[in-house]
Amino acid sequence: QVQLAESGGGLVQAGGSLRLSCVASGRTLNRYTMGWFRQAPGKEREFVAAITWGGGSTYNQDSVKGRFTISRVNAKNTVYLQMNSLKPEDTAVYYCAAVRSDVLPSTSSQYDYWGQGTQVTVSS
């Protein structure tokens, strides 16, 4: 079983930056696609970004393109989400997720393992 743990959230002013980390334990993430999702109060969980095992293919939600970057270091069983130019609309609990795949799923039902989430709050 894969255990995921997110960290790096916090309170930041609009225009600022944060880097989220997700560390996996229990298994290595060999051949696993990793994704980031977020959920704002009163809203459904939505896809943010995903990355394949080799890191050669990524996909970002349109609203974060040019601002967020997903990356991974497989030797550390870790995936990152670098968030720049943050906006109040980015405020949410951010979750990382994993699935053994060679493609880039963008719906939560396609992922098998989830972390507990980390809060990101962007103030104006």
Side-chain angles (χ1 to χ4, degrees):
Q1 185 176 9
V2 175
Q3 306 287 333
L4 304 176
E6 305 96 334
S7 63
L11 176 64
V12 65
Q13 295 287 328
S17 298
L18 287 171
R19 187 175 76 160
L20 306 183
S21 299
C22 176
V23 179
S25 61
R27 300 179 185 175
T28 62
L29 299 180
N30 186 268
R31 305 297 181 184
Y32 277 73
T33 286
M34 300 294 297
W36 285 97
F37 292 77
R38 64 187 182 186
Q39 188 166 21
K43 304 294 183 181
E44 297 293 319
R45 188 170 297 185
E46 68 173 354
F47 172 77
V48 177
I51 185 168
T52 54
W53 174 75
S57 184
T58 63
Y59 179 73
N60 289 0
Q61 182 206 81
D62 287 345
S63 67
V64 307
K65 287 181 178 177
R67 300 190 298 121
F68 292 9
T69 302
I70 188 170
S71 62
R72 68 194 298 169
V73 179
N74 291 341
K76 297 181 178 181
N77 286 338
T78 302
V79 62
Y80 303 97
L81 185 68
Q82 178 66 48
M83 305 185 294
N84 299 325
S85 301
L86 283 161
K87 304 175 181 180
E89 308 93 86
D90 297 317
T91 295
V93 176
Y94 283 70
Y95 300 88
C96 67
V99 61
R100 199 171 194 278
S101 176
D102 59 356
V103 295
L104 295 169
S106 60
T107 61
S108 59
S109 63
Q110 294 175 286
Y111 288 82
D112 294 323
Y113 304 102
W114 292 84
Q116 294 299 307
T118 184
Q119 176 71 48
V120 172
T121 302
V122 184
S123 64
S124 60

